[in-house]
């Protein structure tokens, strides 16, 4: 609801020297502010009026509708049971009909026990970066539990979330709209707006709001392509002129409109390799374009040639750079030259394009060739070809780049004698497609899909359910699965050591820890946000293993079926270590539907009665049945996982013969 206090705009202290700009910024800010609050007031009024709307009245029944069930007769009501009186009212409020309904007894055989209290956990599918705790406490943990000593959190944090210096979200919207108006309507630069220091945020911060709140992006006049200068300077060559005209078309393929003012992405035009071989160009001509068409036999009338200036050739070649498969007849019309001559010049273009491009790598300049790796050279071509040519691959044939077994084949960096007599032939598929094909193979090849990183990346998880187990809740399989299959990723908040320490009292109070040691810097805490894997209990005879995989540069924890998966220790992490139940059930290697999942939490999770962390839950008898009781104080042992082994990155690399990383 709009508050009256928020309708007053802060008045700046105006300095007479720069008052013009400040006056403008202040006026636009005030307008945006007023408009917002008029809207906000109306919106709040509408919301408040909603509950007072007249109640829904049932329309009269349609003729074919069955008559309503007649109320039960008093004889049907048993005297032993409690009865309810039901009254049907008219729309006017007067009682229409009243009858009695007896209650029906339902006997529950099982004793229903109240469920143990559980604090909620935000469901997430990917880890959330938290890092170090902020100074403020977002909410009071266990606020409805009087046995929790909140003074601990008061000491750990500077503020609670409510007095923390947070900006008013309404002000963000108003400042955003003010900046939009100043930039787009008044053409004021961001620097000038910042200099006034009038708005409560810098324009840099304001521009971030659109991403945060998903506002449509506004068009900054600076992003607009310059309008064409007319006439175009004649000192520019045909290539520059063509480039210039091409660049005036929108590069968004759904638009391709000249001087588009809608799309912001602009990309300079890039040359494309030809797809139609020179020898097949005649196939795209339906009818000869005239007497001078290259399809016509040479006669006395068309045998006289024209003079080609350098600019003419350049003009033709510029077209061919961007539209190499154009018909010679069309090009003849554009270049105003006889079609036959155009066709002849194309042969020159082909040999030139084989050597035209250049790329610089490690300080050396390489020529760029389009290489058709499937092309076989004829003996004559092979004889003409130089022994080897260094090439920079633009595109490769996927059948060569991806071997039958799905592994990346090394891309050639030299064209060998006899293997490529033709120097300028097109690539069949661009490299990006080869990678896509590779990903497809990985996905569909059983052996390759065992790659742990890929299964985490693609979320190949199994169906599971959370139910009551011996130690609170547990996770159970809803389908059988084989050894090595990914059950799911263990997700949660990524926290650093100080945050882990500051949450110790919560773990202590809860009696359960959900922290998984990920790497020397981060742990994954599934206590406040996580998925079903946080309910997997501990057993020394675990039927699942955990692996920390490096997926696209991020460490992620996968839980895999079977014991062959190496478990990195410490897996789960608890401070102080908790007490384990010695009676953990034996588990089988293959997981069947209905089986409970277990992982080995590692040596630091549980504690022996002597007060030192112990490997596994081989505890003295008195510990039995006290799994949620807190053990004696133990110094935190936040171990550095320098001894842990992490898997390699799964990024597919093409061309160097390397294989995707296997953990
Ligand atoms: C990651 S949680 C597992 C899910 C937990 N059972 C729940 O209900 O939220 C880890 C906690 O489960 C309990 N737990 C799991 N396995 C146990 C075992 N073998 N013996 C005793 N307690 C266990 C401990 O309280 C431990 O801190």
């Amino acid at each position: 609801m709009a508050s009256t206090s928020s309708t007053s705009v802060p008045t700046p202290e105006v300095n007479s020297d720069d008052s013009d700009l400040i006056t403008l910024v202040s006026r636009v800010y005030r307008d945006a502010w007023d408009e917002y609050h008029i809207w906000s007031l109306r919106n709040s009024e509408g919301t408040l009026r909603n509950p007072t709307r007249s109640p829904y009245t049932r329309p009269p029944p349609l003729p074919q509708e069955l008559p309503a069930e007649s109320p039960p007769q008093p004889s049907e009501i048993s005297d032993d049971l409690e009865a309810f009186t039901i009254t049907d009212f008219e729309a006017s409020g007067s009682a229409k009909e009243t009858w009695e309904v007896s209650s029906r007894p339902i006997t529950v055989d099982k004793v229903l026990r109240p469920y143990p209290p559980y604090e909620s956990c935000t469901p997430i599918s990917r880890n959330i970066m938290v890092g170090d705790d902020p100074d403020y406490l977002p909410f009071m943990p266990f606020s409805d539990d009087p046995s929790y000593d909140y003074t601990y959190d008061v000491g750990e944090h500077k503020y609670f979330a409510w007095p923390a210096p947070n900006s008013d979200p309404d002000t963000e919207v108003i400042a955003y709209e003010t900046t939009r108006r100043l930039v787009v309507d008044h053409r004021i630069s961001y620097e000038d707006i910042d200099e006034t220091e009038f708005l409560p945020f810098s324009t840099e911060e304001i521009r971030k709001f659109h991403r945060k709140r998903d506002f449509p992006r506004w068009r900054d006049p600076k992003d607009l392509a310059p309008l064409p200068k007319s006439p175009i300077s004649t000192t520019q060559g045909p290539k520059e002129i063509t480039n210039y005209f091409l660049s005036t078309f929108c590069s968004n393929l759904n638009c391709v409109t000249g001087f588009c003012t809608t799309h912001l992405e602009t990309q300079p035009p890039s040359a494309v390799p030809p797809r139609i071989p020179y020898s097949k160009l005649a196939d795209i001509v339906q009818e000869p374009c005239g007497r001078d068409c290259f399809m016509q036999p040479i006669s006395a009338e068309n045998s006289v040639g024209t003079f080609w200036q350098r600019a003419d050739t350049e003009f033709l070649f510029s077209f061919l750079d961007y539209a190499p498969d154009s018909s010679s007849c069309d090009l003849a019309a554009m270049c105003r030259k006889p079609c036959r001559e155009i066709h002849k010049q194309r042969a020159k273009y082909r040999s030139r394009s084989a050597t035209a491009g250049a790329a610089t790598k490690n300080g050396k300049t390489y020529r760029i060739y389009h290489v058709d790796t499937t092309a076989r050279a004829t003996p004559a071509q092979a004889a003409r070809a130089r022994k080897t040519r260094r090439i920079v691959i633009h595109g490769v044939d996927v059948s060569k780049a991806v071997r039958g077994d799905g592994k990346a084949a090394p891309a050639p960096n030299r064209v060998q004698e006899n293997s490529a007599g033709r120097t300028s032939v097109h690539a069949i598929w661009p490299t990006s497609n080869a990678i896509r094909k590779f990903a497809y193979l990985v996905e569909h090849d059983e052996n390759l899909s065992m790659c742990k990183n890929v299964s985490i990346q693609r979320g190949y998880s199994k169906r599971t359910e959370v139910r009551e187990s011996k130690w609170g809740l547990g996770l159970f399989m809803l389908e059988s699965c084989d050894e090595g299959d990914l059950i799911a990723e263990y997700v949660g908040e990524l926290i650093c050591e100080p945050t882990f320490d500051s949450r110790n009292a919560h773990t202590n109070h809860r009696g359960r820890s959900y922290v998984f040691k990920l790497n020397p810097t981060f742990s994954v805490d599934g206590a406040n946000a996580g998925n079903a894997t946080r309910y997997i209990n501990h057993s020394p005879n675990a039927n699942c293993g955990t692996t920390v995989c490096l997926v696209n540069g991020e460490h992620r924890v996968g839980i895999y079926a079977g014991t062959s998966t190496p478990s990195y220790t410490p897996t789960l992490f608890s401070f102080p270590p908790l007490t384990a139940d010695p009676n953990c059930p034996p588990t089988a290697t293959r997981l069947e539907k209905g089986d409970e999942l277990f992982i080995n939490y590692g040596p630091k999770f549980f504690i022996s009665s002597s007060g030192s962390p112990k490997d596994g839950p081989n505890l003295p008898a008195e510990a039995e049945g006290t799994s949620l009781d807190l053990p004696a104080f133990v110094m935190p042992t936040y171990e550095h996982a320098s001894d842990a082994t992490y898997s390699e990155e799964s990024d597919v690399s093409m061309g160097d013969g390397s294989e995707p990383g296997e953990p």
Side-chain angles (χ1 to χ4, degrees), residues 97-119:
E97 206 174 354
T98 303
W99 71 93
E100 289 214 329
V101 179
S102 71
S103 49
R104 192 148 48 92
I106 297 173
T107 325
V108 180
D109 298 336
K110 270 192 182 174
V111 180
L112 295 177
R113 281 185 290 120
Y115 206 75
Y118 257 84
E119 64 287 349

Side-chain angles (χ1 to χ4, degrees), residues 346-385:
R346 286 183 95 155
K348 279 192 202 161
Y349 170 80
R350 291 171 56 74
S351 59
R352 191 188 83 143
S353 72
T355 56
T360 310
K361 197 178 166 196
N362 304 333
K364 288 184 187 162
T365 302
Y366 299 106
R367 285 172 174 172
I368 298 173
Y369 294 88
H370 301 300
V371 178
D372 181 351
T373 53
T374 54
R376 304 287 324 158
T378 63
Q381 285 169 334
R384 278 204 304 276

Side-chain angles (χ1 to χ4, degrees), residues 115 118-119 466-467 469-475 490 507 510-515 532-540 572-574 578-585 596 598-599 601 605-606 617 619 626-629:
Y115 206 75
Y118 257 84
E119 64 287 349
V466 180
R467 307 199 233 120
S469 158
K470 194 172 176 194
W471 305 282
L473 296 177
L475 191 66
Y490 190 96
T507 310
R510 191 185 289 124
R512 291 182 298 276
S513 169
Y514 299 92
V515 181
T533 56
R534 76 190 203 119
Y535 295 107
I536 300 181
N537 284 318
H538 162 89
S539 169
L572 270 151
F573 205 53
S574 155
L578 298 165
T579 312
D581 186 335
N583 304 317
C584 291
E596 180 170 358
F598 290 99
I599 49 178
Y601 288 178
F605 198 85
F606 291 108
L619 297 171
T626 59
S627 59
L628 298 184
D629 294 347

Side-chain angles (χ1 to χ4, degrees), residues 120-128 130 490-494 503 514 524-531 534:
S120 63
C121 149
T122 309
I124 51 167
S125 54
R126 283 297 305 270
N127 290 331
I128 298 174
V130 170
Y490 190 96
V491 289
E493 290 175 297
L494 294 175
R503 293 182 179 185
Y514 299 92
V524 187
D525 187 358
N528 303 322
N531 63 8
R534 76 190 203 119

